[in-house]
Amino acid sequence: MGVDSWLFIPFEDLRVFQLAEKLADEIWNIVIKWEYFEKDTIGKQLVRSTDSIGANIAEGAGRGTANDNRRFIRISRGSLYETRFWLRRASKRSLVSKQQAELIRGILNELGPSLNAYLTSIGKEKQPNTKY
């Protein structure tokens, strides 16, 4: 049985993790400017769900087994869907500008498929030049 190559790639170097961080930073920069009520209701939920995406990628990578990593990537994907829900609420309530929504949508459109590709790859040997 071969050693899983994903064990030797620092999670910080994974494209999927970098996208999760980018999304979390963009969300923070938006929410931090909201008024108290908006921050206390939608804002906290949105920041927590978005931060959870990258946190679960990191935790899964640190667990050391493919099964544990896959489990945390699935949790990360759940957090991504929760983030999409909160973003819909923020958008419907005019808390996110069109420009902000377009930027976030671009990240989400790349992050979702990247999470799925990473999940599929865990437990398999990494192919040369493959980025997640």
Side-chain angles (χ1 to χ4, degrees):
M1 184 183 286
V3 176
D4 291 316
S5 60
W6 61 267
L7 288 170
F8 301 105
I9 302 169
F11 69 87
E12 299 95 339
D13 292 344
L14 296 171
R15 176 75 177 139
V16 68
F17 179 78
Q18 293 167 358
L19 285 167
E21 276 193 317
K22 182 177 180 180
L23 179 63
D25 292 342
E26 292 297 336
I27 294 299
W28 179 266
N29 290 333
I30 292 168
V31 172
I32 198 71
K33 296 173 185 164
W34 291 355
E35 297 294 326
Y36 175 79
F37 180 77
E38 289 84 357
K39 281 182 192 176
D40 193 47
T41 55
I42 295 173
K44 286 179 180 179
Q45 295 283 0
L46 180 55
V47 168
R48 286 180 182 137
S49 66
T50 306
D51 284 347
S52 179
I53 299 167
N56 280 292
I57 293 169
E59 187 167 357
R63 292 293 175 141
T65 69
N67 283 341
D68 279 344
N69 199 359
R70 281 191 292 270
R71 184 169 76 84
F72 279 92
I73 298 309
R74 286 185 184 99
I75 294 168
S76 183
R77 190 171 52 190
S79 295
L80 175 68
Y81 277 68
E82 181 182 357
T83 296
R84 289 173 51 190
F85 169 81
W86 288 116
L87 284 168
R88 287 177 57 84
R89 300 286 37 98
S91 181
K92 291 277 187 179
R93 296 170 185 170
S94 301
L95 298 172
V96 179
S97 72
K98 283 189 177 220
Q99 182 181 8
Q100 291 168 328
E102 287 176 22
L103 174 64
I104 293 166
R105 189 176 308 112
I107 299 168
L108 289 172
N109 287 343
E110 192 175 349
L111 182 54
S114 293
L115 268 174
N116 289 333
Y118 183 46
L119 178 62
T120 300
S121 76
I122 296 171
K124 297 178 182 177
E125 286 299 316
K126 186 174 178 344
Q127 300 301 314
N129 299 321
T130 302
K131 293 185 180 179
Y132 306 104

